[in-house]
Amino acid sequence: MSYTVSQAVKAAFDSILALPEVQKGLELIEKDQDRCIDEQIELTLIEAPTFHEENRAAAFKAKFEALGLEDVHIDRGGSVVGRMRGTGDGPKVLVEGHLDTVFPFGSVTRVEQKDGYLYAPGIGDDTRALAMILSLIRAMKAANVRPRGDIVFVGTTREEGMGSLGGMKDFLDDNWQDIGASVSIDGGNMSTVTFEATGFKTYEVNFYGIGGHAYGAFGLMANPLHAAARAVAKIADFQVPEDPRTTFCVSNFHAGNDAGVHAIVPKATIKFNFRSNSQQILDELNDRIFKAIQEACDEETARWGKDTITWDSKIYCDVPAGVQDPHDPIVESCWAVIEHLGMKPSLNQGGSTNANMAIGKGVPAVCLGRGWYPEGAKVNNMNHTLKENYPVKNAFMGVQEALLTTLLCTGIADVESVIK
């Protein structure tokens, strides 16, 4: 794609690169790769399924304390928080990775190292980001890199699945007013920048009726399973825009059991998820779905005219959508950094990451990749599988990207932040 970085961002980046302490920091990050990989392995072996991150959080907190961060604590959402104080005249920047993985306890017994890759469930997503943050802090302190703005480092909880980015939401609900920019580390290839937010909602809807014998009660009552089926059929016929990308899926349908195969059920349940890169379209689709559900209940009720099908709902996930200008300074900063590191940058429009929560609150935000993936690397299709893997070669470059992007956001020495 054709993309040009503004002169203001170029000038700021060149000035930051010229600083001796920044060059030293970049060198120390490269030298720290082996230690960073060791910590990645160590943290991977501390399993952290979503909603059960306590052990990993305790270990991560201890590492923050050992590195000398200020105000280290576990917040009300279970996330680990620590602060690096700036010189006081730049925006506060959040740098975060998430503690949880998608795997249940017992999934990780060892980390295998073979042919330049690490193999283990959760070795990349997002345990690698936690190790990167520790390496970043070490290098900044050892090189005496003093940002103008404070940097708040956070290991967030409940990012995956039903966690619905909950740890990030809790942290920002309590702190977003003074956060000037947010840098998440959770992508795959570090040459790709996620700068927009795909919003999504996940619901359970229950349909209720009287229930009875499939033969003896036939015609005497409406069937909640039939109402649910009507609703699914209506939803299945929806047309949604390709741009902004919008999707929907009824993923679960349950009623009755084999012992009651000759029964009209008293309850039927569906679960569904829908997504969009536009908050407006997401909200409109929400209304369309629940209108279809009510219509389905009304039609099933009218079909028999003897009782009324009712319904209720439970929301599991509610993640905001959001857009940013592709030439927002934080996005241009990432582009400039990636080019400097010798890669071809690309912008990912959409994506459900912790950056959603920052973008949803109007905070400039990006999600960066975890490492360098050579062309044809097999890692990209293995996240969230037991075969998850991570390529070790040049992994330090992801930490360098995080350092330079963060400094462009906070400012350093006489270089002001690109965030306005």
Side-chain angles (χ1 to χ4, degrees), residues 61-235:
K61 177 175 179 286
K63 290 180 179 297
F64 272 8
E65 290 169 337
L67 287 170
L69 292 184
E70 299 182 20
D71 189 28
V72 176
H73 65 281
I74 293 179
D75 72 6
R76 68 178 179 89
S79 298
V80 183
V81 182
R83 182 179 64 171
M84 177 181 289
R85 191 181 298 276
T87 58
D89 57 351
K92 181 184 290 186
V93 175
L94 166 63
V95 177
E96 69 86 28
H98 65 84
L99 292 162
D100 58 321
T101 73
V102 301
F103 303 98
F105 285 117
S107 300
V108 183
T109 58
R110 67 190 182 103
V111 176
E112 181 183 6
Q113 302 186 55
K114 180 180 177 182
D115 300 328
Y117 285 79
L118 304 176
Y119 293 85
I123 190 68
D125 186 10
D126 196 24
T127 317
R128 172 61 189 174
L130 304 178
M132 289 171 65
I133 288 171
L134 298 175
S135 183
L136 172 60
I137 297 167
R138 251 191 316 273
M140 291 183 70
K141 283 185 167 287
N144 197 30
V145 174
R146 298 186 64 201
R148 292 176 68 146
D150 289 359
I151 303 175
V152 181
F153 296 98
V154 183
T156 51
T157 58
R158 293 170 289 131
E159 192 271 349
E160 300 284 7
M162 290 298 191
S164 194
L165 318 185
M168 183 70 157
K169 180 180 186 301
D170 288 344
F171 177 81
L172 287 174
D173 281 349
D174 294 341
N175 299 281
W176 72 272
Q177 293 89 344
D178 66 346
I179 299 293
S182 177
V183 177
S184 294
I185 305 173
D186 190 22
N189 194 328
M190 61 168 283
S191 67
T192 299
V193 181
T194 298
F195 74 103
E196 292 189 348
T198 301
F200 65 92
K201 297 186 181 186
T202 301
Y203 281 96
E204 172 186 297
V205 173
N206 300 297
F207 300 78
Y208 301 98
I210 297 173
H213 194 280
Y215 180 82
F218 181 79
L220 301 178
M221 62 188 62
N223 189 328
L225 191 155
H226 290 181
R230 291 175 189 270
V232 172
K234 289 176 180 291
I235 294 168

Side-chain angles (χ1 to χ4, degrees), residues 1 189-192 335 338-339 341-347:
M1 64 176 294
N189 194 328
M190 61 168 283
S191 67
T192 299
W335 189 281
I338 292 168
E339 280 193 322
L341 293 174
M343 292 173 292
K344 183 179 180 180
S346 62
L347 299 181

Side-chain angles (χ1 to χ4, degrees), residues 291-312:
K291 181 180 178 182
I293 288 168
Q294 186 59 59
E295 288 175 351
C297 291
D298 292 343
E299 290 169 7
E300 178 63 16
T301 296
R303 169 71 174 82
W304 303 102
K306 301 291 178 63
D307 65 334
T308 301
I309 298 294
T310 60
W311 61 273
D312 61 24

